[in-house]
Amino acid sequence: MAAVTELSFLLFALINNIHAQERIFVKKEGDSYTFNLPNNTDSCLISRSVGEEKLVLWNTSDLWSNSSSVPEHLKQRLVSSVKTSSYTILDLTHSDSGPYREECWTEGNVTHDNNFTITVCTSIGGTAIDERLGGTVDLPCEGAADNLDVQWLKQDSRYEQETWSRVFGDKTTSVMDNVRGRYQVVTNTSALRVSNVTGTDFTDYRCLVMHQQQCVSSHPVGLELQVEVIYHSVGETAVLPCTITDSTDEQPPRWSNLFSSDLGQLNQTVPSVDQNYSLVFSSLMLNHSGLYYCFTSMRYQRYQLFVCPKFGPPAVELFSEGEEVTLRCTDRREDMWHVWFIKSNRTEGRIITVESDQSMSRVSWYDNNGSLVISNISAGDAGEYWCVVYDPYDQCVSTERTVLVYMEPFGIYSTSFKKLEKV
């Protein structure tokens, strides 16, 4: 009978190891970690692997006895709660890092078996990066520097406690089926390159800088869905698509704005949600300007809606390769503030702010006089540029639009410039 029980345990452990993805808990030095074990078990064993050696930390049935296996340095940092069957290690150090295993028995049968890794690091302040669906983005590993021994982790949202999964089994092979081929580590920077970004990529990541299997520092990076800018004038119709429907959600996508989840509180014309879950404004008013969210239980989509007074016809300027072009925001005043937007072939027809477009390193924006200067201009800079002026209450006061058209030598307009339609 004992042999059968042991064989059952081995098969159980083998199946568990095959199907379970490695779970990683990243902790800062001095933090604590709590083992939440099931109630109504005869005993539980906590062990940690050190190389090929299995170090038994404690058995809950003789935790505080004189013959207890708990190391003295650990016993001083161990706190238990009989009511909840939880055990907490206080003041974590690098030496607490490693693979752990929980095993519990009831009447001789294994009723709980859990494998995971605790990694203790020195945490460094994180950063957040915006990207759009379908784009490509490099998540920086700021602490890598000359040390290219890094591990990339991705937050696993299936668990309530902050849990991480390893993105790569090594530096090149992804262990996540849904991202295989889309995630790569950039050789000279150790950045994580995410290609063809999908909704499931928008979460938190961590770059662990390692030295001889010990975590030197942890650098959190949040990948967030880029705010899509929607630009209209008073009286027009606007449609904000919601493309994050997920068949696993029990409820359909919901809409909210920055200040309220009740869109009916908006004054005057109230937007509606159509059969495709898009938010529809039939006749825009100035007060409809704002940040709108379409969200499900795990994903969200953001739109920044700008509603301005009626647009006037855009000005047109011709330019040649290598010139310097200055655009001026003449409506800007002392008590106002302004933002420059771009819509062009280079931005794939999307409206983005000048400061968020990293490809425009040759652009200078002068807030004191409202001018925008593009140096060493090229055909790719052709497009529509908007200066939007806001009052102190963030309401759009006016819009000036200028269409830059590239002129090839001999006065022929560039055939690569596509006429931009009215927004």
Side-chain angles (χ1 to χ4, degrees):
M1 182 63 70
V4 173
T5 301
E6 185 176 351
L7 179 60
S8 299
F9 169 74
L10 290 174
L11 288 174
F12 178 87
L14 178 61
I15 294 172
N16 224 37
N17 286 333
I18 290 174
H19 294 285
Q21 192 172 27
E22 181 184 11
R23 297 174 59 193
I24 301 173
F25 298 93
V26 179
K27 295 292 182 179
K28 184 180 177 181
E29 281 185 289
D31 284 351
S32 61
Y33 180 81
T34 300
F35 299 83
N36 291 302
L37 302 175
N39 296 317
N40 304 320
T41 56
D42 296 338
S43 64
C44 294
L45 191 71
I46 307 295
S47 60
R48 180 164 65 88
S49 297
V50 181
E52 297 182 357
E53 181 182 356
K54 179 180 178 181
L55 176 64
V56 176
L57 298 181
W58 70 81
N59 190 323
T60 59
S61 61
D62 67 343
L63 186 61
W64 307 114
S65 67
N66 293 330
S67 59
S68 171
S69 60
V70 182
E72 284 300 320
H73 72 89
L74 187 57
K75 186 180 292 186
Q76 297 171 4
R77 298 184 289 130
L78 191 61
V79 177
S80 65
S81 173
V82 178
K83 292 183 179 180
T84 59
S85 298
S86 66
Y87 301 84
T88 301
I89 300 179
L90 304 174
D91 298 324
L92 291 171
T93 67
H94 285 293
S95 62
D96 294 313
S97 298
Y100 284 76
R101 182 171 184 149
E102 302 170 347
E103 303 167 76
C104 296
W105 291 266
T106 303
E107 296 181 355
N109 296 319
V110 176
T111 54
H112 175 75
D113 182 31
N114 186 27
N115 296 279
F116 55 91
T117 297
I118 297 176
T119 300
V120 182
C121 296
T122 301
S123 292
I124 305 297
T127 185
I129 294 179
D130 291 348
E131 186 52 54
R132 63 188 180 89
L133 289 168
T136 296
V137 61
D138 284 0
L139 306 182
C141 184
E142 297 177 3
D146 297 329
N147 184 346
L148 299 183
D149 184 11
V150 301
Q151 292 181 10
W152 274 102
L153 309 180
K154 181 179 181 180
Q155 187 166 1
D156 197 328
S157 58
R158 294 174 299 173
Y159 305 98
E160 292 184 6
Q161 187 173 358
E162 188 177 276
T163 308
W164 303 83
S165 295
R166 199 182 304 274
V167 175
F168 298 97
D170 52 37
K171 287 188 177 181
T172 58
T173 307
S174 172
V175 296
M176 297 181 175
D177 290 336
N178 63 327
V179 300
R180 191 160 292 161
R182 295 194 300 109
Y183 283 21
Q184 295 177 324
V185 174
V186 181
T187 303
N188 58 340
T189 64
S190 293
L192 179 65
R193 176 164 296 167
V194 184
S195 304
N196 191 22
V197 172
T198 68
T200 58
D201 297 322
F202 295 112
T203 185
D204 290 334
Y205 298 79
R206 277 184 184 269
C207 173
L208 305 185
V209 179
M210 310 296 292
H211 178 66
Q212 297 180 353
Q213 303 303 311
Q214 178 174 296
C215 181
V216 177
S217 58
S218 169
H219 301 264
V221 183
L223 180 58
E224 299 179 354
L225 181 61
Q226 190 176 74
V227 176
E228 193 71 24
V229 177
I230 305 294
Y231 204 111
H232 282 282
S233 64
V234 169
E236 292 182 337
T237 297
V239 178
L240 279 55
C242 183
T243 59
I244 58 170
T245 53
D246 193 332
S247 59
T248 60
D249 283 312
E250 296 180 358
Q251 293 183 329
R254 283 87 69 198
W255 280 94
S256 70
N257 66 11
L258 184 61
F259 304 105
S260 172
S261 59
D262 182 7
L263 295 176
Q265 292 182 6
L266 292 172
N267 296 329
Q268 301 175 18
T269 306
V270 177
S272 61
V273 178
D274 66 15
Q275 68 275 15
N276 297 319
Y277 307 113
S278 298
L279 189 64
V280 180
F281 297 82
S282 57
S283 182
L284 284 168
M285 308 300 292
L286 290 175
N287 66 302
H288 285 149
S289 295
L291 188 62
Y292 292 86
Y293 291 83
C294 171
F295 62 94
T296 61
S297 59
M298 299 300 299
R299 299 165 61 191
Y300 68 92
Q301 203 165 356
R302 297 184 296 171
Y303 291 94
Q304 181 71 61
L305 175 62
F306 292 96
V307 183
C308 289
K310 291 287 185 179
F311 298 144
V316 178
E317 282 200 25
L318 306 181
F319 68 88
S320 300
E321 193 89 23
E323 290 183 343
E324 180 177 281
V325 173
T326 299
L327 306 178
R328 301 192 185 279
C329 193
T330 56
D331 282 350
R332 178 190 168 278
R333 297 191 296 272
E334 288 292 331
D335 58 340
M336 304 290 183
W337 63 282
H338 69 285
V339 178
W340 281 95
F341 292 96
I342 311 168
K343 181 181 180 183
S344 68
N345 293 342
R346 180 171 46 75
T347 61
E348 300 173 352
R350 294 179 300 119
I351 305 167
I352 62 176
T353 61
V354 169
E355 59 186 350
S356 69
D357 186 7
Q358 301 303 317
S359 65
M360 298 203 68
S361 58
R362 296 169 288 101
V363 174
S364 301
W365 177 13
Y366 297 95
D367 189 54
N368 59 338
N369 60 12
S371 63
L372 183 76
V373 179
I374 309 172
S375 60
N376 193 23
I377 200 166
S378 64
D381 296 320
E384 190 161 316
Y385 291 74
W386 305 342
C387 176
V388 182
V389 179
Y390 298 92
D391 65 17
Y393 303 100
D394 296 340
Q395 182 168 295
C396 180
V397 175
S398 66
T399 302
E400 294 178 80
R401 301 187 295 166
T402 302
V403 176
L404 289 184
V405 180
Y406 173 59
M407 187 173 62
E408 291 181 340
F410 312 111
I412 303 174
Y413 292 175
S414 170
T415 56
S416 66
F417 176 71
K418 184 178 179 181
K419 186 177 180 180
L420 293 163
E421 299 178 356
K422 182 181 180 183
V423 179

